[in-house]
């Protein structure tokens, strides 16, 4: 039997990829397990993300297993599964891994059995903590050994005050996740990380550990919990997919996973192009239809430009350290390029300049990419437009 890993390219890892990888087959045929974030990837609050269910169903048809990993600790897995089924998906409860589940296991490892934990959060988190042999309290007067702070949409000043009182009295401070923002139906709203700022200001204490992404434990725990009745899916055949560079993608890089970033949530093309190594994805796509597409190669041409199919990225630096990244499509300069191939070429061009030439990305002007890019409507099994052959492939 051939090794499916032979169908992907390699890229240097500097805390994260130094170049995007390419594949000769769809990602859903190359990786056995997709670890999908939810908010901004599959749904926004109550609303489905465009094309997400379509992409997931097609990936499953091609043999990929799906696990849903979310930093949202407020909802039960069965509630999430019911919502996803409303989008036309088939989802078992054990396919949904929340930061509440991982946080409870984290606390059980850090605290003696029977320790009291002040919970800022909903019933799901409380129940998971109790399942792991710890006692849940809600008042600082109960003298908790630790505080665990999570997000829920009715979070109150009184809850943050009780957490602060307990931490002042010596309780250890843990959090389920550090997301500064969360995509909702109406737009981008403050997340758990933003709600930790008042507690840190009041106490002078920062959380000692976080269960959710960007810690890689979320993905590691997900593989273990998801694979209870099967052989554990190895890291190099698991593909985290998310919309945030500072959580989903950073967690993947910390854990040694390849990753896919989508443009349906928080991350913008400009942020991806200028990302630090730890925040760089392995692959980029508009939405989850990208799971079922080969990922085209970016090649470095003899003149130092970078080409992905019809898109060519060029970085021009000036003597004062400023520069301009430009993109041409079919030979025409394009100030607002709207294709995934243009983004792929631009990313690899900028990442090479930063990593190898010491360019400061913050001093480079970037093309005005729109948030939604063309290039995600190729059917699974079709090859992308002809691979570029001149120059050396970026490896």
């Amino acid at each position: 039997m051939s090794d499916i890993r032979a169908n992907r390219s390699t890229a240097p890892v500097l805390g994260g990829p130094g170049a995007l990888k390419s594949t000769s087959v769809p990602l859903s045929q190359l990786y056995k397990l997709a670890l999908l974030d939810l908010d901004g990837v599959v749904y926004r609050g109550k609303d489905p993300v465009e094309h997400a269910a379509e992409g997931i169903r097609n990936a499953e048809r091609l043999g990929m297993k799906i696990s849903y990993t979310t930093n949202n600790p407020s909802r039960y897995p069965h509630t999430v599964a019911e919502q996803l089924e409303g989008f036309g998906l088939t989802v078992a409860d054990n396919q949904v891994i929340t930061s509440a589940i991982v946080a409870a296991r984290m606390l059980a490892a850090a605290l003696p059995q029977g320790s009291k934990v002040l919970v800022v959060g909903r019933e799901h988190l409380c129940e998971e903590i109790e399942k792991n042999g710890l006692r849940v309290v809600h008042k600082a007067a109960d003298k908790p050994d630790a505080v665990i702070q999570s997000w829920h949409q009715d979070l109150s000043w009184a809850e943050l005050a009780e957490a602060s009182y307990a931490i002042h009295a010596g309780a250890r401070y843990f959090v389920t996740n550090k997301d500064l923002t969360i995509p909702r139906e109406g737009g981008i709203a403050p997340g758990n990380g933003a709600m930790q700022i008042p507690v840190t200001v009041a106490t002078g204490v920062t959380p000692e550990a976080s269960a959710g992404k960007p810690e890689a434990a979320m993905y590691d725990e997900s593989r273990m919990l998801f694979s209870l009745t099967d052989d554990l899916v190895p890291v190099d055949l698991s593909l985290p997919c998310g919309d945030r560079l500072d959580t989903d993608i950073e967690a993947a890089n910390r854990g040694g996973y390849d990753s896919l970033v989508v443009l349906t949530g928080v991350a913008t093309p400009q942020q991806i192009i200028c990302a630090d190594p730890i925040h760089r994805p392995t692959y980029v796509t508009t939405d989850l239809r990208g799971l079922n597409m080969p990922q085209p190669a970016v090649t470095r041409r003899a003149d130092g430009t970078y080409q992905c199919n019809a898109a060519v990225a060029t970085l021009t630096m000036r003597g004062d350290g400023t520069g301009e990244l430009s993109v041409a499509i079919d030979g025409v300069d394009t100030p607002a390029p709207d294709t995934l191939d243009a983004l792929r070429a631009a990313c690899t061009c900028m990442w090479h300049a930063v990593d190898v030439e010491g360019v400061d990305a913050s001093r480079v002007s970037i093309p005005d990419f729109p948030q939604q890019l063309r290039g995600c409507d190729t059917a699974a099994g079709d090859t992308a437009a002809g691979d570029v052959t001149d120059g050396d492939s970026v490896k």
Side-chain angles (χ1 to χ4, degrees):
M1 181 177 179
S2 63
D3 188 344
I4 63 174
R5 284 166 283 195
N7 292 306
R8 75 183 74 163
S9 71
T10 59
V13 176
L14 304 168
L20 294 168
K21 291 184 180 180
S22 63
T23 69
S24 59
V25 298
L27 297 174
S28 51
Q29 293 181 328
L30 187 59
Y31 296 89
K32 291 185 176 181
L33 174 64
L35 300 164
L36 302 186
D37 182 47
L38 285 168
D39 292 299
V41 177
V42 182
Y43 56 57
R44 300 184 192 93
K46 297 178 182 178
D47 299 331
V49 165
E50 55 276 7
H51 306 298
E54 170 193 343
I56 293 167
R57 287 194 298 267
N58 288 336
E60 289 177 323
R61 290 190 192 104
L62 291 173
M64 186 177 239
K65 294 181 179 180
I66 306 295
S67 178
Y68 300 93
T69 66
T70 175
N71 271 0
N72 187 337
S74 65
R75 304 178 71 203
Y76 288 98
H78 69 82
T79 303
V80 174
E82 289 172 1
Q83 179 180 357
L84 297 178
E85 288 174 347
F87 301 159
L89 298 168
T90 301
V91 182
D93 292 358
N94 69 347
Q95 286 179 261
V96 180
I97 311 299
T98 70
S99 62
I101 294 172
V102 180
R105 292 162 67 99
M106 174 186 73
L107 290 172
L111 301 169
Q113 286 286 289
S115 295
K116 291 185 286 187
V117 180
L118 189 154
V119 177
V120 178
R122 287 286 183 84
E123 292 83 358
H124 173 41
L125 178 58
C126 294
E127 291 179 12
E128 291 296 329
I129 288 172
E130 289 176 339
K131 284 180 187 177
N132 280 270
L134 303 171
R135 297 169 57 193
V136 171
V137 301
H138 296 285
K139 297 291 185 181
D142 294 322
K143 298 181 179 179
D145 301 290
V147 170
I148 180 75
Q149 182 177 343
S150 71
W151 177 92
H152 63 89
Q153 63 183 14
D154 299 317
L155 183 67
S156 69
W157 176 89
E159 290 177 274
L160 299 183
E162 290 296 328
S164 298
Y165 302 152
I167 294 167
H168 265 303
R172 297 170 67 182
Y173 185 22
F174 298 88
V175 296
T176 55
N177 63 292
K178 295 182 178 180
D179 296 44
L180 289 172
T181 59
I182 182 170
R184 304 292 289 171
E185 301 94 331
I188 303 298
N192 195 37
M195 296 299 99
Q196 291 157 29
I197 295 172
V199 175
T200 295
V201 170
T203 63
V205 177
T206 57
E208 65 176 84
S210 171
K213 299 165 281 188
E215 303 304 325
M218 170 68 80
Y219 296 142
D220 296 336
E221 293 279 359
S222 296
R223 288 190 302 116
M224 288 187 281
L225 292 167
F226 185 79
S227 305
L228 287 177
T229 58
D230 299 313
D231 292 335
L232 187 65
V233 180
V235 166
D236 66 348
L237 294 181
S238 303
L239 184 67
C241 309
D243 70 307
R244 297 187 64 103
L245 303 181
D246 60 348
T247 55
D248 306 314
I249 304 307
E250 180 174 340
N253 285 325
R254 287 189 181 192
Y257 295 84
D258 288 344
S259 64
L260 172 70
V261 69
V262 296
L263 297 174
T264 50
V266 173
T268 67
Q270 290 77 9
Q271 290 172 347
I272 299 169
I273 292 168
C274 296
D276 293 331
I278 194 66
H279 295 142
R280 294 174 187 167
T282 314
Y283 311 105
V284 296
T285 187
T286 296
D287 54 59
L288 287 181
R289 290 177 297 177
L291 286 172
N292 306 301
M293 298 177 59
Q295 302 296 304
V298 179
T299 64
R300 188 180 187 200
R301 307 198 307 179
D303 61 359
T305 60
Y306 289 79
Q307 183 164 2
C308 184
N309 296 320
V312 177
T314 303
L315 179 60
T316 303
M317 297 301 297
R318 307 180 185 95
D320 62 357
T322 63
E324 179 180 3
L325 180 66
S326 60
V327 173
I329 298 178
D330 289 321
V332 178
D333 287 341
T334 310
D338 64 351
T339 69
L340 281 170
D341 287 343
L343 177 58
R344 292 174 178 127
C347 285
T348 304
C349 182
M350 179 66 84
W351 296 354
H352 180 271
V354 170
D355 296 346
V356 177
E357 300 170 12
V359 168
D360 182 351
S362 68
R363 304 193 70 193
V364 176
S365 62
I366 306 296
D368 187 21
F369 282 88
Q371 186 67 15
Q372 295 301 308
L373 302 179
R374 294 184 293 114
C376 235
D377 48 8
T378 303
D382 291 348
T383 57
D387 288 340
V388 175
T389 57
D390 76 55
D392 296 324
S393 290
V394 176
K395 296 293 186 181

